[in-house]
């Protein structure tokens, strides 16, 4: 099978097309013939040597896929061979075939092409885990998404609006990105490049913000804590600005704040399977109704994985980038009974 390998640490040029054997299913696994694969920032971090795969996981990058099930282990009841699925994987998405724990598979939403479906797993699993499970966003609360037009940011904003009736605020840079945040439900958008971005957000939410989803860390951390309402929750999913921050611990206990964070890649399949079930029950119907949408900013063939990742290097993405892996990528699969 054709795959993309990472040959050393560096820029997009270290990604190279290669041939490898098709893997065989182990217990609880399915083999998916990949039609399309998502391109995510953790793929870039892996390429740079900053986010290695967990022990036992393939070194092939790629965290979400969509395609057709080719084979299943004897202990798997669903999905079955021939089913159209999308899935969160711990690695291996940039390939013609990918092994997936069966519990991490989700049906392709009705009316979605494989390309569209490939944009869903990584961002919605991440948003659900951090905004709903860890952030405990409740009905009518206020949610701030730092970097609203990332794939995770767009998913988080729509989950907040559609499933929690939240007041959503976002930070973003260009006028086009800010317009998309508003289109996805943000009632206030602030340019994070402004020196007074925190003051602008404080004016938009004078009573404080209940949940903040952030991937920047560093010097943003204390400013975000000061924006939280009493009992507020700050959820970190990366630390692009810096891995360390100076914060007021007194503020945490005086105002009963929660500072938490997560990565999903190394969590067990059973944990991710529980998220998958909740997504199918609560988010998938909204996707099929068009109330929650995906936004694709670029589609590239597998062999142009480096070009796709260079968009992320330049921070020029709005939404998701996708790799087409087979000629099925743009087709809309027929739901099976």
């Amino acid at each position: 099978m054709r795959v993309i390998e990472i040959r050393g640490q560096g820029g997009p040029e270290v990604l190279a097309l290669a041939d490898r054997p098709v893997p065989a299913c182990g217990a609880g696994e399915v083999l998916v013939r990949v039609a399309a694969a998502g391109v995510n920032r953790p793929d870039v971090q892996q390429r740079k040597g900053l986010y290695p795969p967990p022990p036992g996981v393939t070194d092939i990058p790629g965290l979400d896929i969509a395609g057709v099930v080719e084979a299943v282990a004897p202990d798997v009841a669903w999905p079955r061979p021939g089913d159209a699925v999308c899935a969160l994987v711990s690695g291996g998405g940039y390939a013609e075939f990918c092994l997936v724990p069966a519990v991490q598979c989700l049906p392709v939403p009705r009316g979605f092409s494989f390309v569209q479906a490939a944009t869903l797993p990584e961002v919605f699993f991440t948003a659900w885990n951090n905004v709903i499970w860890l952030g405990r966003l409740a009905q009518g609360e206020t949610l701030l998404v730092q970097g609203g037009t990332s794939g995770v940011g767009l998913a988080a904003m729509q989950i907040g609006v559609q499933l929690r009736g939240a007041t959503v605020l976002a930070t973003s840079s260009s006028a086009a990105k800010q317009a998309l945040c508003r289109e996805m439900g943000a009632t206030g958008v602030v340019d994070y490049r402004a020196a007074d971005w925190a003051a602008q957000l404080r004016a938009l939410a004078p009573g404080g913000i209940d949940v903040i989803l952030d991937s920047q860390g560093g010097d943003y951390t204390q400013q975000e804590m000061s924006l939280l309402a009493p009992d507020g929750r700050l959820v970190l999913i990366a630390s692009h600005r810096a891995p360390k921050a100076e914060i007021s611990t007194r503020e945490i206990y005086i105002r009963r704040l929660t500072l938490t964070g997560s990565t999903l890649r190394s969590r067990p399949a059973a944990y991710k399977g529980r998220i998958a079930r909740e997504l199918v029950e609560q988010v998938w119907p909204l996707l099929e109704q068009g109330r929650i949408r995906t936004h694709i900013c670029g589609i590239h063939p597998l062999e142009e994985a480096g070009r796709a990742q260079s968009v992320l290097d330049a921070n020029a993405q709005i939404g998701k980038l996708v790799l087409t892996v087979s000629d099925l990528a743009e087709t809309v699969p027929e739901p099976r009974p």
Side-chain angles (χ1 to χ4, degrees), residues 116-168:
Q116 291 172 308
T119 69
L120 302 175
E122 196 270 345
V123 298
F124 279 98
F125 273 80
T126 301
W128 195 264
N129 183 53
N130 290 284
V131 173
I132 301 300
W133 282 16
L134 297 181
R136 308 187 307 280
L137 183 67
Q139 199 70 28
E141 288 192 322
T142 299
L143 167 68
L144 167 63
V145 178
Q146 287 275 30
T149 55
S150 68
V152 173
L154 293 174
M157 288 192 295
Q158 293 182 89
I159 285 172
V161 171
Q162 296 293 334
L163 288 168
R164 292 294 185 268
T167 297
V168 173

Side-chain angles (χ1 to χ4, degrees), residues 30-115:
V30 303
L31 180 68
V32 176
R33 181 184 292 270
V34 179
V39 179
N40 300 288
R41 195 165 293 280
D43 306 341
V44 174
Q45 296 296 90
Q46 179 176 336
R47 188 196 77 213
K48 294 178 178 179
L50 302 175
Y51 192 41
V57 172
T58 177
D59 62 335
I60 299 169
L63 300 179
D64 45 9
I65 61 166
V68 178
V69 176
E70 183 82 2
V72 304
D75 61 341
V76 171
W78 187 90
R80 304 305 302 163
D83 286 341
V85 299
C86 55
L88 180 72
V89 296
S90 297
Y94 291 19
E96 290 183 306
F97 291 90
C98 184
L99 282 179
V100 188
V103 295
Q104 294 171 210
C105 291
L106 310 96
V108 171
R110 290 177 184 271
F112 274 57
S113 69
F114 287 110
V115 162

Side-chain angles (χ1 to χ4, degrees), residues 1-21 43 46-48 58-62 92-96 302-306 309 323:
M1 65 176 182
R2 295 184 307 145
V3 307
I4 294 294
E5 293 180 336
I6 302 175
R7 296 179 178 174
Q9 300 174 8
E13 69 279 357
V14 304
L15 300 178
L17 197 64
D19 284 311
R20 290 195 183 181
D43 306 341
Q46 179 176 336
R47 188 196 77 213
K48 294 178 178 179
T58 177
D59 62 335
I60 299 169
Y94 291 19
E96 290 183 306
L302 179 65
E303 57 269 23
E304 293 182 7
Q309 287 199 7
L323 300 177

Side-chain angles (χ1 to χ4, degrees), residues 129-137 141 209-214 221-222 224-236 247-262:
N129 183 53
N130 290 284
V131 173
I132 301 300
W133 282 16
L134 297 181
R136 308 187 307 280
L137 183 67
E141 288 192 322
I209 297 167
D210 299 294
V211 179
I212 298 176
L213 180 66
D214 178 48
T221 308
Q222 180 57 49
E224 290 166 339
M225 285 174 54
S226 71
L227 291 170
L228 288 172
D231 299 299
R233 289 82 73 194
L234 170 58
V235 187
L236 297 167
I247 64 171
S248 167
T249 54
R250 184 174 187 274
E251 198 170 345
I252 294 175
Y253 63 82
I254 291 294
R255 296 198 291 121
R256 305 177 303 278
L257 306 180
T258 298
L259 177 58
T260 186
S262 76

